[in-house]
Amino acid sequence: MGKIIGIANQKGGVGKTTTAINLAASLAVLEYKTLLVDADPQANSTTGVGFDLHNVTTGIYDCMVNDTPAKDVILKTEIPFMELMPSHIDLVGAEIEMINYPDRESVLKNILKEIKDEYDFIIIDCSPSLGLITVNALTAADSVVVPVQAEFFALERLGKLLNTIKIVQSRLNTDLQIEGLLMTMYDGRLRLCNQVVSEVRRHFEDLVFTTIIHRNTKLSEAPSFGKPAILYDADSKGAINYLNLAKEILQRNNLTKIQQELKVMEHPEPT
């Protein structure tokens, strides 16, 4: 059964969509079948993996509002093990249209339940708000990765999101875990960046990923070419950072290929 990971932060510009695209791409390159779900009306994950919104006729909106089956909207990407559930500006209206739905917070969970077993990972790019669509994503997710920009107000803004996660945990999804806090847009030359990383690690200890995402030109350029960084420039620092993040998540979940091979060696199938 696949693991659903939401990428969430109510503050825009912290590397949320960049993380969703490049984490999904990195897991796929490591040959884990991965679905990227674009749950943001801005649809940046959809364009960021190479799709023109004018050519996207159905997507997550249709699944949530018109009961379109998930398998009918999923698109294949350039990376063999990576698929996309696209978004569209129409998703803006979904929150209003769903307002009278019974169990409206669980709509996305029920959609993904039908296809969860077909993937190793489902990565949800949440919108930069704490509205109904984001609550749906957190209700559907097994865990959440929180990108945290290495800046002065990082901790202050983090509190609001963590409170929302606690509310979702207590009322809607008791199994929701924090996969980790991910420091993004890090510049090692700046004393402030180092101070922020130290402060976040002091507060949250093991919840903070060892991997840090550095500021990187190639990482910023890649979406305008409709490519994840690993396709745009596999040797760039940004691509390597996200590959390391994918490996760290695999290790945290005891899912690395090496560990799987070791288990087979320790417990060979009877001949």
Side-chain angles (χ1 to χ4, degrees):
M1 182 178 282
K3 180 165 191 176
I4 302 177
I5 302 176
I7 315 294
N9 194 321
Q10 83 280 7
K11 182 183 182 298
V14 298
K16 178 184 56 62
T17 296
T18 300
T19 296
I21 291 172
N22 289 291
L23 173 58
S26 296
L27 289 166
V29 165
L30 294 169
E31 298 189 353
Y32 289 86
K33 192 172 182 190
T34 305
L35 175 68
L36 175 59
V37 176
D38 191 349
D40 184 347
Q42 295 175 76
N44 290 333
S45 278
T46 301
T47 57
V49 294
F51 291 94
D52 183 340
L53 294 182
H54 293 101
N55 298 327
V56 176
T57 54
T58 57
I60 188 172
Y61 169 84
D62 300 275
C63 296
M64 298 186 84
V65 175
N66 300 326
D67 296 325
T68 304
K71 60 182 174 55
D72 291 351
V73 308
I74 289 171
L75 304 171
K76 294 189 180 301
T77 72
E78 278 187 86
I79 300 175
F81 284 82
M82 180 178 168
E83 296 179 343
L84 171 76
M85 180 182 284
S87 185
H88 196 272
I89 191 65
D90 290 350
L91 191 60
V92 168
E95 296 202 2
I96 296 168
E97 294 181 60
M98 290 164 55
I99 202 75
N100 292 320
Y101 280 25
D103 202 20
R104 62 180 182 262
E105 296 87 358
S106 300
V107 173
L108 184 56
K109 180 178 183 176
N110 293 329
I111 292 164
L112 296 180
K113 192 192 302 178
E114 301 300 316
I115 56 169
K116 190 173 181 181
D117 290 348
E118 297 175 26
Y119 297 93
D120 297 308
F121 287 96
I122 297 176
I123 307 297
I124 307 176
D125 180 18
C126 301
S127 69
S129 71
L130 297 178
L132 183 57
I133 302 296
T134 298
V135 170
N136 259 265
L138 294 176
T139 303
D142 298 305
S143 66
V144 57
V145 169
V146 182
V148 182
Q149 188 178 350
E151 59 154 27
F152 184 69
F153 290 112
L155 280 172
E156 183 181 306
R157 291 179 178 132
L158 196 53
K160 194 171 182 181
L161 177 66
L162 294 178
N163 282 337
T164 301
I165 290 171
K166 281 181 185 172
I167 291 167
V168 172
Q169 285 171 325
S170 63
R171 299 181 190 173
L172 298 166
N173 183 0
T174 54
D175 296 326
L176 180 65
Q177 302 290 321
I178 295 176
E179 188 76 33
L181 307 183
L182 176 67
M183 302 306 304
T184 63
M185 302 183 182
Y186 173 80
D187 186 338
R189 299 167 298 179
L190 301 178
R191 183 185 297 172
L192 177 62
C193 281
N194 290 300
Q195 287 173 338
V196 171
V197 171
S198 297
E199 188 75 358
V200 172
R201 285 209 164 120
R202 187 172 65 82
H203 273 268
F204 296 102
E205 301 174 337
D206 292 342
L207 272 183
V208 185
F209 286 110
T210 303
T211 303
I212 291 176
I213 309 301
H214 293 72
R215 282 192 182 275
N216 179 247
T217 305
K218 300 291 186 184
L219 206 52
S220 303
E221 290 174 355
S224 63
F225 290 87
K227 293 180 183 292
I230 205 157
L231 286 186
Y232 181 63
D233 185 347
D235 294 324
S236 66
K237 183 172 274 190
I240 292 166
N241 286 164
Y242 277 108
L243 200 54
N244 286 336
L245 174 65
K247 290 173 180 174
E248 189 172 349
I249 287 174
L250 291 170
Q251 287 168 351
R252 286 187 176 205
N253 289 276
N254 297 316
L255 283 173
T256 58
K257 299 283 187 190
I258 294 170
Q259 286 168 324
Q260 289 174 350
E261 286 164 11
L262 283 173
K263 284 176 186 172
V264 171
M265 289 169 65
E266 287 168 6
H267 307 286
E269 299 229 352
T271 54

